[in-house]
């Protein structure tokens, strides 16, 4: 059972996921003007269709910046990005209808209800009312929000707001979904529930790219990319990474490879 | 464990320290604390220091004069000429000579502030009255009463000229009011400008806060990754705010016209349309300004920077014609200046589209300019 944290893919290797890449970056760089911060420094990424890819790293390692560039919300300083075969940011408007994003903040309208929030985003993806209501009837029970359909978002708990945020990202049946720290502040029961749901979605062909700094969570992904100072310092399936680094957990690998970054922060 | 005191001055000071420290980190607020009062004082000082000068009037001197028979010699009197000369030396007015009838038309269409006529028997009546006959000498002044300051300046100039010519007493001044003969009350003449001010202040404030709320709510980071373009977002906001603007216009006009009984000599439909157009100008201005505000506090700080100079320069408080020449030129770049002329023209003067087309076109043009500026400066992705 996935809820127990057992991976059916533990024997798969990285190449399994790269036969059909949906996200590719080449020497991606982002230097923020303010402070001349090199947030992403020559990132080469390849993520396959139906993969759950976890981008992990310490705070400030470049995870959110990377996600923002992949979704077209932030323009790179240099380097190339292709999502679903199309160049980003040049074709971002076309790609945007095929991806979903749940940002780090809740990014919801607090004075609208759960249904109104999801409806607004559904309209942005040109969904008609009939299709939206059908999709809502699918999503809300799965995300355990059915009874909160007419509740104003400001009256929801943090965990419920996260679920609404996920619903907004999934309402239009995207091909890729980006979850930036989707499980921050979530209790273990709800976190296990989310991962079960992510697994179900990936089995339908949806590619999930998520960021996290919760290491044991990263072990549930198909592949992990470990970032440090804007660079990818390690990548592979959880087993591959642990084996290469002679570690028993991803957390050990992370600590070992992140040595020295605490002082930088 | 020490008991917390019910009231602690130290805690009060801690809050004050925190507030002042936060403000000291906000360079924009500090700059505005210095510049906004300085700019406002400067502008008000410049506009308040002037006096009504060179107000265009037209004088129809029909006085035929009077020759006093006196034996072999005769003395010619021409009081009309004397008064005219005195008026021409008065810098409060700029005298044009012409017919009273065309002068009245000129007052009605805004070319002149007053038309004055000295009757043909003016000098004769004055002479005979001074000689003991019971006669009334009078001058008729057909005057634009829509601006009390200007009206007063013209009348003082006329009275002063009469005083210079005759001393105290003697001539009756018949005041006829243009625009339907209505003598406007203080409320009548101030309501048009107040409508402009309220529409500026309220529409700008509500619009800019509504727009900036999206920035601070964190939703923008999600919106940038959707198919929604910045232009679509701007248009969507503009439609919604226009609906709100129409509502606000309705409230403002209802209170002005129904509660306070303000006069509307012209078309109410034109007034409503003009008010909505001006509200739209302020909406687009808010959309443009919102692109530079990071939070609601910064947004709100922008509003007095617009409304206070507008109040000063638009002629709302002090007539534009009393400003120094270069300030009058600046006033012509203030949207509220045209809004005042528009509302005043419709409400007090009964003007229609033919008279007010320039104001409508300018307001519409400025609205379009602000919209174009908003489109150019709107962010469609996260900042670099």
């Amino acid at each position: 059972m996935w809820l127990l944290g057992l991976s059916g893919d533990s024997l798969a290797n990285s190449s399994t996921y790269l036969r059909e890449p949906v996200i590719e970056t080449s020497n991606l760089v982002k230097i923020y003007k303010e402070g001349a911060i090199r947030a992403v420094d020559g990132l080469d990424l390849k993520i396959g269709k139906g993969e759950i890819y976890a981008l992990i790293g310490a705070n400030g390692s470049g995870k959110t910046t990377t996600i923002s560039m992949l979704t077209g919300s932030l323009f790179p300083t240099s380097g190339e990005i292709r999502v679903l075969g199309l160049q980003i940011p040049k074709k971002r408007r076309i790609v945007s209808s095929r991806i979903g994003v749940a940002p780090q903040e809740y990014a919801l309208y607090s004075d609208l209800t759960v249904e109104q929030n999801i409806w607004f985003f559904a309209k942005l993806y040109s969904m008609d009312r009939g299709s939206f209501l059908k999709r809502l009837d699918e999503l809300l029970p799965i995300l355990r929000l059915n009874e909160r359909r007419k509740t104003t978002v400001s009256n929801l708990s943090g965990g419920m707001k996260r679920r609404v945020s996920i619903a907004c990202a999934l309402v239009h049946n995207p091909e890729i979904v980006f979850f930036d720290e989707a499980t921050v502040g979530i209790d273990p029961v709800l976190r296990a529930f989310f991962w079960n749901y992510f697994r179900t979605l990936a089995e339908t062909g949806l590619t999930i790219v998520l960021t996290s700094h919760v290491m044991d969570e990263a072990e549930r992904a198909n592949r992990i990319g470990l970032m440090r100072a804007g660079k990818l310092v390690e990548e592979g399936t959880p087993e591959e990474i642990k084996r290469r680094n002679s570690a028993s957990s991803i957390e050990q690998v992370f600590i070992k490879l992140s040595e020295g970054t605490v002082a930088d922060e | 464990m020490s008991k917390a005191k019910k009231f602690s001055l130290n805690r009060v000071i801690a809050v004050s320290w925190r507030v002042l420290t936060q403000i000291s980190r906000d360079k924009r607020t500090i700059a505005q604390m210095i510049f906004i009062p300085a700019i406002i004082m400067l502008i008000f000082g410049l506009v308040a220091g002037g006096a009504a000068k060179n107000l265009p009037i037209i004088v129809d001197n029909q006085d035929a004069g009077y020759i006093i028979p006196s034996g072999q010699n005769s003395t010619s009197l021409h009081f009309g000429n004397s008064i005219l000369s005195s008026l021409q030396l008065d810098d409060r007015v700029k005298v044009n000579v012409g017919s009273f009838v065309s002068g009245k038309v000129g007052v009605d269409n805004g070319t002149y502030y007053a038309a004055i006529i000295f009757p043909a028997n003016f000098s004769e009546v004055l002479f005979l009255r001074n000689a003991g006959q019971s006669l009334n000498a009078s001058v008729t002044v057909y005057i634009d009463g829509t601006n009390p300051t200007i009206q007063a300046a013209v009348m003082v100039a006329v009275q002063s000229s009469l005083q210079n010519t005759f001393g105290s007493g003697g001539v009756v001044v018949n005041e006829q009011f243009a625009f339907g003969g209505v003598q406007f009350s203080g409320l009548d003449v101030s309501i048009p400008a107040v409508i402009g001010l309220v529409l500026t202040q309220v529409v700008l404030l509500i619009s800019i806060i509504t727009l900036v709320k999206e920035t601070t709510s964190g939703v923008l980071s999600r919106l940038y990754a959707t198919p929604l373009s910045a232009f679509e977002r701007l248009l969507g906001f503009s439609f919604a705010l226009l609906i709100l603007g129409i509502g606000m216009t309705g409230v403002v006009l209802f209170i002005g016209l129904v509660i306070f009984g303000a006069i509307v000599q012209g078309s109410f439909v034109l007034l409503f349309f003009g008010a909505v157009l001006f509200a739209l100008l302020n909406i687009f201005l808010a959309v443009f300004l919102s692109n530079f505000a990071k939070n609601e506090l910064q947004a709100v700080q922008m509003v007095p920077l617009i409304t206070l100079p507008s109040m000063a320069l638009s002629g709302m408080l002090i007539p534009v014609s009393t400003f120094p020449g270069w300030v009058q030129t600046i006033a012509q770049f203030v949207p509220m200046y045209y809004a005042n002329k528009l509302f005043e023209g419709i409400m007090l003067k009964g003007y229609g589209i033919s008279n007010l087309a320039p104001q409508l076109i300018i307001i519409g043009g400025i609205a379009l300019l602000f919209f174009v500026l908003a489109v150019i400066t709107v962010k469609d992705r996260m900042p670099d």
Side-chain angles (χ1 to χ4, degrees), chain B residues 58-62 100 115-119 122 138-142:
Chain B
I58 191 165
V59 177
D60 185 353
N61 183 12
Q62 294 190 354
F100 185 62
I116 304 170
I117 183 167
F118 307 140
F122 186 61
S138 66
V139 216
T140 300
V141 180
Y142 181 81

Side-chain angles (χ1 to χ4, degrees), chain B residues 26-44 301-302 304-306 308-309:
Chain B
D26 185 349
K27 290 184 174 46
R28 191 186 285 208
T29 298
I30 298 211
Q32 288 184 336
M33 272 168 56
I34 298 165
F35 285 115
I36 290 180
I39 289 168
I40 303 305
M41 290 300 294
L42 196 64
I43 291 173
F44 273 94
Q301 286 167 350
M302 289 178 178
L305 208 51
I306 303 290
L308 289 175

